Amino acid sequence: MFGKRTSGNTGRTTSAPEVQNSETSAPVVEPVEAAGAPVNAPAVKSDRAGETSDAYYETKATIFNALFETIDVSALAGMEPKAARAEIRTIVDEIIAIRNVRLSVNEQNQLIGEICDDILGYGPLEPLLMRDDIADIMVNGAKHVFIETDGKMEKTNIRFRDNQQLMNICQRIVSQVGRRVDESSPICDARLLDGSRVNVIAPPLAIDGPTLTIRKFKKDKLTLQHLVDFKSISPAGAKVLEIIGACQCNILISGGTGSGKTTLLNCLTAFIHPDERIITCEDAAELQLQQPHVVRLETRPPNLEGKGKITMSDLVKNCLRMRPERIIVGEVRGPEAFDLLQAMNTGHDGSMGTLHANSPREGLSRLESMITMGGFSLPTRTIREMIVGSIDVVIQATRLRDGSRKITHITEVLGMEGDVIVTQDLIVYEMDGEDAEGKIVGAHKSTGIARPAFWERARYFNLEKELAMALDEAGES
């Protein structure tokens, strides 16, 4: 199956691999010995519970290199995953027997599984990607892998053989979506096939080896009800958000890194009517819209000649020629802020976007700054009038110090007083302290606004009674 070269070591016909073995920094491996002259490899043991010893990684590297000398990786890549894993398992079993490696059944299964992941998947990252309780995976070079679970950071005992193996996996990930990362292009934003966000920064910019960050998406799409169950928002607050999403308010979601902005944006899109044409613009496609009429657009980096770059601003401008009813920008971070406001102000009601800011007012200020830095020589008052005429509601998402994520403000934009943008909070999250376990205790409370500025819009969609009931309920909580 694997070619022409005959190996007397394993008793099967093989060919030299067509791809170069990049694991150059792994221990040097002698050719596989005949069965009559076994090479004793170290047994796999653990230094401490849950941690694997250096001997394990040496044994794994030895068997991995011997496997590379035996199989044709290009032929293996053309096989079905299940058949390829079975073929790898057969050869590794033979190598283990020939080299007289002392392994238990569980240890041998673990080693074979990891080698299959190295060749066919994402290597040591595979078990982390399978876990649904992990929000972020952070790889700081080959030896340090961190995860975030329940809002808390912890170090794992997972590691890569060397930085070259980590770089190979980074390149495998980004190449699946038509991007590249190398010395000439050491920074790359990409995504996994399930939509999880990926960032890679490689040497020489990353001094201690390639750095890989993955923001994982849950397999089951979160809804507003899930946010209520997590106590990120009260039931009454969730009802207000549902009405805001359904009555075509222009929404800006503000928050810090890891505060849940994209998750909240996904939740709000669930209330868009199925008949509406939606166009999304993202640097790396993450949004998981369920409506039938969705067009997904993604930016493109420059090619090897430095040409062909498509920016977020280019995408937003092109949206206006595609007869959109709603435009959704995954993250506003530059001159596209001006184009998004123009779209919101010219009949594309219900458009949404996210940006990084620590409060609703800071979010509006950042929007103004991005327009200014984009080279638009407009008076400050003109920019602020454009913001007021475009943005209806600002929703603030915050990651608190105990790791929990809360929607801390639902704020509407009212207008201008002089040169100042006037806003008013509808619902705010008030912290009352913390419990014995260090968890923050608080509640979402209404500010007493009975008839918000978007009341007439809600009335147009026959939602004013539901809005009044939700605000009353929020005031009683």
Side-chain angles (χ1 to χ4, degrees):
M1 176 184 294
F2 289 102
K4 299 178 180 178
R5 181 168 63 87
T6 300
S7 172
N9 304 324
T10 62
R12 62 177 58 234
T13 301
T14 60
S15 71
E18 295 181 10
V19 296
Q20 185 179 0
N21 179 9
S22 60
E23 313 298 324
T24 54
S25 60
V28 177
V29 181
E30 299 296 330
V32 181
E33 301 291 339
V39 177
N40 291 328
V44 175
K45 295 181 180 179
S46 295
D47 296 332
R48 297 186 296 276
E51 290 198 21
T52 308
S53 66
D54 290 337
Y56 172 83
Y57 291 101
E58 292 174 6
T59 301
K60 180 180 171 183
T62 299
I63 295 174
F64 187 91
N65 283 1
L67 176 67
F68 251 96
E69 293 177 357
T70 307
I71 65 173
D72 182 354
V73 179
S74 62
L76 197 68
M79 299 173 63
E80 291 292 327
K82 185 177 291 187
R85 284 180 177 268
E87 187 70 25
I88 291 172
R89 172 177 287 276
T90 301
I91 300 174
V92 171
D93 283 341
E94 292 181 6
I95 294 173
I96 289 174
I98 289 169
R99 288 182 169 264
N100 195 25
V101 180
R102 299 185 298 276
L103 296 171
S104 69
V105 174
N106 289 338
E107 290 167 341
Q108 185 165 333
N109 287 336
Q110 176 187 344
L111 186 142
I112 292 173
E114 291 181 2
I115 289 177
C116 288
D117 290 340
D118 288 350
I119 296 176
L120 304 173
Y122 300 136
L125 297 177
E126 285 285 346
L128 300 181
L129 293 171
M130 295 295 291
R131 287 176 53 183
D132 208 32
D133 62 325
I134 296 176
D136 291 273
I137 302 171
M138 294 145 283
V139 184
N140 305 338
K143 305 297 183 183
H144 306 285
V145 180
F146 295 83
I147 60 173
E148 181 193 315
T149 56
D150 297 327
K152 298 294 184 180
M153 202 87 69
E154 60 181 271
K155 186 176 181 180
T156 70
N157 62 348
I158 289 175
R159 65 183 185 182
F160 296 79
R161 280 190 301 278
D162 49 41
N163 284 329
Q164 184 58 53
Q165 183 200 13
L166 173 56
M167 191 65 189
N168 290 344
I169 290 173
C170 291
Q171 291 171 335
R172 186 179 303 165
I173 290 173
V174 304
S175 65
Q176 289 179 334
V177 291
R179 307 207 172 185
R180 64 187 179 88
V181 59
D182 48 38
E183 285 192 5
S184 63
S185 180
I187 298 177
C188 181
D189 286 316
R191 56 181 166 83
L192 299 179
L193 297 180
D194 66 355
S196 297
R197 183 190 311 167
V198 176
N199 175 267
V200 180
I201 181 164
L205 301 187
I207 298 173
D208 299 320
T211 300
L212 171 67
T213 309
I214 300 176
R215 171 69 50 81
K216 282 181 77 257
F217 272 12
K218 289 184 177 292
K219 295 176 183 176
D220 299 325
K221 187 184 175 210
L222 291 180
T223 64
L224 268 184
Q225 184 56 49
H226 286 112
L227 300 189
V228 173
D229 296 340
F230 298 150
K231 298 184 178 179
S232 296
I233 186 67
S234 65
K239 188 62 179 179
V240 173
L241 289 179
E242 177 182 337
I243 295 170
I244 288 172
C247 71
Q248 296 185 352
C249 289
N250 290 325
I251 301 170
L252 183 67
I253 299 175
S254 167
T257 300
S259 60
K261 299 186 299 298
T262 304
T263 298
L264 178 55
L265 183 58
N266 264 323
C267 292
L268 291 177
T269 59
F271 305 106
I272 298 175
H273 196 277
D275 290 342
E276 295 184 58
R277 176 173 167 85
I278 309 165
I279 301 179
T280 67
C281 304
E282 302 174 83
D283 282 317
E286 303 173 72
L287 295 173
Q288 300 169 311
L289 276 66
Q290 305 301 311
Q291 285 76 8
H293 201 163
V294 178
V295 179
R296 304 169 71 208
L297 305 180
E298 189 176 56
T299 60
R300 187 178 72 182
N303 58 21
L304 288 171
E305 290 77 31
K307 299 178 181 179
K309 181 178 180 180
I310 304 296
T311 66
M312 184 71 77
S313 185
D314 295 330
L315 294 183
V316 176
K317 287 177 182 176
N318 192 72
C319 281
L320 302 178
R321 306 183 184 99
M322 299 174 66
R323 203 225 172 258
E325 288 178 299
R326 298 210 194 199
I327 297 174
I328 299 177
V329 177
E331 183 173 333
V332 183
R333 61 178 69 179
E336 67 272 7
F338 179 81
D339 301 299
L340 179 61
L341 292 183
Q342 288 282 77
M344 288 178 169
N345 210 8
T346 54
H348 303 94
D349 292 335
S351 296
M352 307 178 189
T354 73
L355 58 70
H356 283 81
N358 295 321
S359 70
R361 183 158 291 279
E362 283 187 26
L364 298 176
S365 296
R366 278 214 68 210
L367 206 59
E368 180 183 337
S369 299
M370 286 187 282
I371 293 173
T372 303
M373 290 187 295
F376 300 99
S377 55
L378 297 172
T380 300
R381 182 176 178 84
T382 302
I383 296 175
R384 292 178 181 174
E385 286 176 346
M386 185 184 303
I387 292 173
V388 168
S390 304
I391 305 294
D392 296 312
V393 178
V394 182
I395 305 170
Q396 182 69 32
T398 304
R399 182 175 180 271
L400 303 181
R401 54 186 168 84
D402 65 348
S404 63
R405 294 171 172 87
K406 306 288 185 184
I407 297 172
T408 57
H409 294 79
I410 301 177
T411 303
E412 59 178 347
V413 180
L414 297 181
M416 298 273 294
E417 283 189 3
D419 289 336
V420 179
I421 297 176
V422 179
T423 63
Q424 71 177 10
D425 297 328
L426 298 180
I427 295 176
V428 297
Y429 180 75
E430 295 182 1
M431 291 185 289
D432 300 324
E434 60 182 48
D435 60 18
E437 298 179 352
K439 296 290 185 181
I440 291 177
V441 177
H444 290 89
K445 298 181 180 179
S446 170
T447 57
I449 304 297
R451 183 167 291 200
F454 61 88
W455 178 272
E456 289 301 321
R457 186 184 293 271
R459 185 178 178 183
Y460 176 76
F461 287 91
N462 297 319
L463 296 171
E464 75 278 10
K465 292 181 180 178
E466 294 182 35
L467 179 58
M469 291 175 60
L471 291 173
D472 288 343
E473 185 180 343
E476 294 170 0
S477 61

